[in-house]
Amino acid sequence: MNDSNLDSKQRLAIYRRMVLCRKFEERVYYLFLEGRLPGTVHQSAGQEASAVGVCSALAEGDVITSTHRPHSHAIARGLPVKSLMAELFAKSTGCCRGKGGSMHLGDLALGMLPAIAIVGGGIPLATGQALAFQYLGKKNIAACFFGDGAANIGTFHEAINMGAIWNLPVVYICENNKYGASTSVEKVMKVEHVSTRAAAYGIPGMTIDGNDVEAVHRAMSSAAERARGGRGPTLLELETYRFSGHSRSDPGHYRPQDEVAAWKQRDPVGLYEKALTDHGVLTEEAARQISASVEKELDEAVKFAEESPSPAAEECLSDVFA
Amino acid sequence: MSSPETQIPAAQTTARKLTMVEALREALREEMRRDDRVILIGEDIGVEGGFGGAFTVTLGLAEEFGHRRVIDTPISEAAIAGVAAGAAAGGLRPVADVQYGDFLFIAMDQLANQAAKLRYMSGGKISVPMVMRAPVGATTRGSQHGQSLEAFFTHVPGLKVACPSNPYDGKGLLKTAIRDDNPVIFFEHKLLYGSKGARKEAGGVEVLGHVPDQEYLIPFGQAKIARPGRDITIVANLLMVHRSLQAAKILAERGIEAEVIDVRTLVPFDWDTVAESARRTRKLMIVEEDNLTGGWGAEVAARIGDVCFGHLDAPIRRIAAPDTPVPFAPIMEKFYIPSMETIVATAQELVSNY
């Protein structure tokens, strides 16, 4: 991590954000088990380095698009955890006022389009956001998250090609977590790396260790700089792994135990904690303090969500049209 | 909802006769001059030496506004719709375009799941002010270039649907669509375009219409009584307005005064005008070029039947295309599209028997 330009303060902020993502998902897991949250949930524990590494390279006014697995993206982008938790509780104080839920977390004013839960559906939208930035002469970029599954849907091809031919300020970020629901990526893709497909659009593509947050940050920083400078999109493939099943009800029996164990050895939060400790950036005491402050933030978020009012049933009828 | 400012009756203005294509082009040009956020995005719309979109609507606009604002795309309908929606959420007012309405099925996720729902899913925080223009109607091109698609889109909450039958409405409604803060699906009928040169459409219908010099807008949700009458109400859109008006002339010769209502927009729908007319004439029929089952006319029949039950003297009758794909052979296509003769016979039957 010596070749990174991050200072200690930034590193600790990144670490804290990753811990927040992890502990948020742990809370959500137990809240679901206790039956306190409606609906379903697609958890992202294990993918914190990708979410935080990408978003730590963004500037104010940049916009991310996300997927049906958006919790860490939203936290990494800096949306208030209270408003995210309240949305999961289906409360009117949620970031989508109870109309979105887990799969549509977002707040455009804070730099995140409501997450798009149709696989690949957000890729054209991110490209359109980038078109608006370019047209309006803004120096902002769109960062478009999607999974390995989305690399095989038509909008991937259509939208990345458009982003490429118009040199749009967008970075396409494939979080390759090796499985589309229960289907191994090897069964549905002949090429080893999604990033090689960048060649088909004449843009740079690279595969990065998606569990190394500073490697992600570096790759995203240079892709973002390129996009901001008018030189067009990059396709980043971040290799990572989700520790949970696909969704709430999935125990993940299709994944070999030794594979899961090997990836858990490469837990992105643990890896970064060790790296920071080894480099003297993080002390045991500081780690404890960060953990405690995150727990407190989550306690407050859950309390806020529980005490928030539910929307009136009739609010179902509003917000269809502007 | 944006509320349009003006509507100038054609009679009070300088009369010019334009084709639908010219009227739509003028609407685009005026709105692009008025608002720099309006951009056009579609296939073959601004290519030098090209044809200005499949039916010449955008011809010449790239010369005036440049390729920054008239954006030619790859053949990628899903991305055209989605990029337009994303750009709309990002502060632009894109007018997207497909060459044939049939291609909207490729873009269906982006229109029905993304553009239509972004506002709702965000709890009202996002607006998607985009227009999706699409030519519809059977014109001897067979099953994949001739469908009428209104019903698919009227069914999606969050989308508005416009379907002008004449140049005056086309211009006024398109300007309103561009200024609307919601996604609008804007259907144009190929036989009403009046495209010229190599893009001229055989069998075009009354393609010229009065369009004032002065600027005007036509509000959404206001149907027009295209011909007043006391004996029966005929509700129609697009080409079927013209077929219904022709039928009304024949019916008048036989002593039956049919009232023809041009719906102009399907979402929002002007329920009041249709219900008032149906109560007055006590008989209602609906004419559409879409397939019968689940067409927009079914919704009109159900709702008007509900609110006008005691005022109707006859069953509500629907005339629509049969439940088949659009055929190619002209003799079959003629059979497929609701004809003036069928409208006359149905109206006569309702008036005589009830």
Side-chain angles (χ1 to χ4, degrees):
Chain A
M1 62 183 235
N2 290 328
D3 56 343
S4 171
N5 57 358
L6 295 163
D7 63 28
S8 295
K9 200 178 154 196
Q10 291 169 314
R11 286 177 159 147
L12 288 173
I14 286 173
Y15 170 71
R16 187 186 187 281
R17 198 58 68 92
M18 291 174 76
V19 172
L20 185 58
C21 291
R22 173 64 55 86
K23 288 185 182 289
F24 181 91
E25 291 294 39
E26 288 171 359
R27 288 288 176 113
V28 166
Y29 179 72
Y30 287 112
L31 288 165
F32 260 102
L33 286 184
E34 292 164 13
R36 289 157 77 188
L37 299 180
T40 187
V41 67
H42 302 82
Q43 298 210 277
S44 54
Q47 302 184 188
E48 294 85 355
S50 138
V52 177
V54 166
C55 291
S56 64
L58 296 179
E60 195 181 336
D62 293 346
V63 168
I64 66 167
T65 63
S66 179
T67 71
H68 56 285
R69 198 179 304 285
H71 299 179
S72 290
H73 297 151
I75 294 168
R77 189 67 188 105
L79 272 64
V81 172
K82 282 183 181 178
S83 77
L84 302 176
M85 194 63 87
E87 189 64 30
L88 298 190
F89 272 83
K91 296 299 181 72
S92 61
T93 52
C95 57
C96 305
R97 298 175 180 149
K99 286 198 167 120
S102 167
M103 286 195 277
H104 303 304
L105 295 180
D107 191 334
L108 189 55
L110 300 178
M112 179 177 182
L113 205 69
I116 300 303
I118 304 291
V119 170
I123 310 177
L125 296 175
T127 306
Q129 290 268 311
L131 177 67
F133 288 144
Q134 184 190 64
Y135 184 87
L136 297 169
K138 293 185 180 172
K139 278 291 162 203
N140 287 115
I141 66 167
C144 176
F145 285 105
F146 51 88
D148 45 275
N152 295 319
I153 201 164
T155 47
F156 171 92
H157 170 69
E158 291 193 14
I160 296 181
N161 183 53
M162 272 191 200
I165 58 174
W166 298 332
N167 284 321
L168 294 181
V170 53
V171 181
Y172 298 107
I173 301 142
C174 177
E175 293 181 309
N176 184 348
N177 67 11
K178 312 299 176 195
Y179 291 86
S182 67
T183 300
S184 161
V185 67
E186 287 160 17
K187 287 186 189 166
V188 293
M189 217 171 64
K190 191 83 170 175
V191 293
E192 192 181 351
H193 291 299
V194 172
S195 63
T196 58
R197 293 186 176 176
Y201 310 110
I203 61 171
M206 59 202 77
T207 301
I208 307 291
D209 177 356
N211 281 15
D212 178 344
V213 70
E214 293 205 5
V216 174
H217 174 87
R218 279 194 301 276
M220 183 62 194
S221 296
S222 83
E225 190 186 327
R226 180 183 161 84
R228 246 182 262 286
R231 283 175 292 147
T234 301
L235 174 58
L236 290 183
E237 177 184 25
L238 308 179
E239 291 190 301
T240 186
Y241 203 74
R242 58 172 149 78
F243 288 171
S244 61
H246 166 66
S247 63
R248 185 178 54 133
S249 57
D250 171 24
H253 292 320
Y254 45 86
R255 304 196 299 191
Q257 283 305 311
D258 55 344
E259 179 185 284
V260 177
W263 277 97
K264 286 201 171 168
Q265 288 296 309
R266 302 207 63 253
D267 173 355
V269 183
L271 284 180
Y272 199 44
E273 189 172 303
K274 183 171 186 310
L276 292 181
T277 308
D278 289 351
H279 284 76
V281 177
L282 183 70
T283 62
E284 235 177 87
E285 173 56 22
R288 255 198 307 278
Q289 279 176 11
I290 285 171
S291 174
S293 87
V294 165
E295 295 289 359
K296 183 162 173 284
E297 185 174 349
L298 290 168
D299 286 344
E300 287 166 2
V302 171
K303 184 164 186 286
F304 171 80
E306 284 186 319
E307 290 174 356
S308 288
S310 289
E314 301 75 34
E315 279 179 46
C316 152
L317 303 175
S318 62
D319 301 324
V320 178
F321 288 109
Chain B
M1 192 196 303
S2 67
S3 99
E5 300 88 14
T6 53
Q7 188 181 353
I8 301 171
Q12 295 173 13
T13 63
T14 326
R16 279 184 307 161
K17 281 200 156 186
L18 297 184
T19 62
M20 177 72 89
V21 158
E22 290 163 341
L24 294 173
R25 189 184 299 139
E26 201 167 83
L28 293 172
R29 181 178 284 126
E30 285 179 11
E31 291 307 297
M32 291 178 81
R33 285 179 183 167
R34 191 183 72 86
D35 185 348
D36 187 53
R37 297 169 302 169
V38 178
I39 61 165
L40 311 184
I41 178 166
E43 297 157 6
D44 302 303
I45 62 174
V47 177
E48 281 84 3
F51 28 81
F55 295 93
T56 72
V57 172
T58 58
L59 198 63
L61 296 180
E63 284 74 4
E64 176 170 352
F65 299 103
H67 293 292
R68 176 173 167 264
R69 298 186 68 190
V70 181
I71 304 172
D72 286 302
T73 68
I75 302 170
S76 302
E77 283 84 5
I80 290 169
V83 165
L92 304 187
R93 303 188 86 86
V95 181
D97 169 321
V98 289
Q99 305 210 336
Y100 291 86
D102 312 65
F103 308 165
L104 290 180
F105 288 124
I106 304 164
M108 207 61 177
D109 172 65
Q110 293 298 320
L111 295 170
N113 276 326
Q114 317 304 343
K117 294 181 174 62
L118 274 174
R119 181 173 188 81
Y120 193 80
M121 299 192 309
S122 69
K125 292 182 179 177
I126 292 179
S127 295
V128 185
M130 65 173 281
V131 180
M132 185 84 234
R133 295 181 39 243
V136 291
T139 53
T140 58
R141 287 175 169 90
S143 294
Q144 296 179 341
H145 287 67
Q147 296 168 85
S148 293
L149 302 148
E150 298 94 286
F152 289 100
F153 294 92
T154 57
H155 190 67
V156 179
L159 297 179
K160 294 189 176 181
V161 178
C163 44
S165 71
N166 61 77
Y168 175 80
D169 287 355
K171 183 179 175 189
L173 290 172
L174 184 53
K175 284 169 69 79
T176 301
I178 292 169
R179 297 187 195 187
D180 198 293
D181 284 334
N182 300 286
V184 178
I185 312 295
F186 199 90
F187 289 115
E188 302 159 9
H189 198 289
K190 297 194 267 304
L191 289 182
L192 302 176
Y193 268 137
S195 311
K196 290 173 180 158
R199 308 305 296 179
K200 186 170 160 49
E201 198 66 21
V205 178
E206 295 188 36
V207 292
L208 281 172
H210 288 285
V211 176
D213 286 322
Q214 295 90 335
E215 184 178 38
Y216 66 97
L217 292 101
I218 296 175
F220 277 14
Q222 283 190 8
K224 180 162 72 182
I225 297 178
R227 177 190 174 106
R230 62 173 187 274
D231 297 323
I232 185 167
T233 299
I234 303 175
V235 175
N237 74 334
L238 294 165
L239 179 67
M240 293 301 112
V241 172
H242 299 273
R243 293 270 161 97
S244 299
L245 286 169
Q246 290 164 352
K249 273 189 201 164
I250 307 282
L251 288 163
E253 289 165 12
R254 301 178 189 177
I256 296 169
E257 289 299 329
E259 178 148 301
V260 177
I261 296 180
D262 178 349
V263 298
R264 301 208 285 193
T265 59
L266 288 165
V267 181
F269 192 86
D270 185 353
W271 295 106
D272 291 344
T273 295
V274 174
E276 186 279 323
S277 175
R279 285 193 193 102
R280 188 159 33 77
T281 66
R282 306 185 70 83
K283 296 181 182 70
L284 174 65
M285 50 191 274
I286 301 139
V287 190
E288 58 187 309
E289 193 178 322
D290 202 348
N291 303 113
L292 181 69
T293 300
W296 61 265
E299 184 65 25
V300 175
R303 292 232 218 157
I304 297 298
D306 192 16
V307 299
C308 299
F309 180 68
H311 299 273
L312 296 175
D313 290 340
I316 298 171
R317 201 53 59 82
R318 292 180 57 213
I319 302 174
D323 288 334
T324 70
V326 182
F328 164 64
I331 191 172
M332 288 194 280
E333 190 191 74
K334 190 163 180 292
F335 177 86
Y336 171 91
I337 304 171
S339 68
M340 195 252 303
E341 291 77 10
T342 308
I343 301 168
V344 169
T346 306
Q348 197 148 26
E349 186 252 335
L350 284 178
V351 171
S352 309
N353 293 0
Y354 296 94

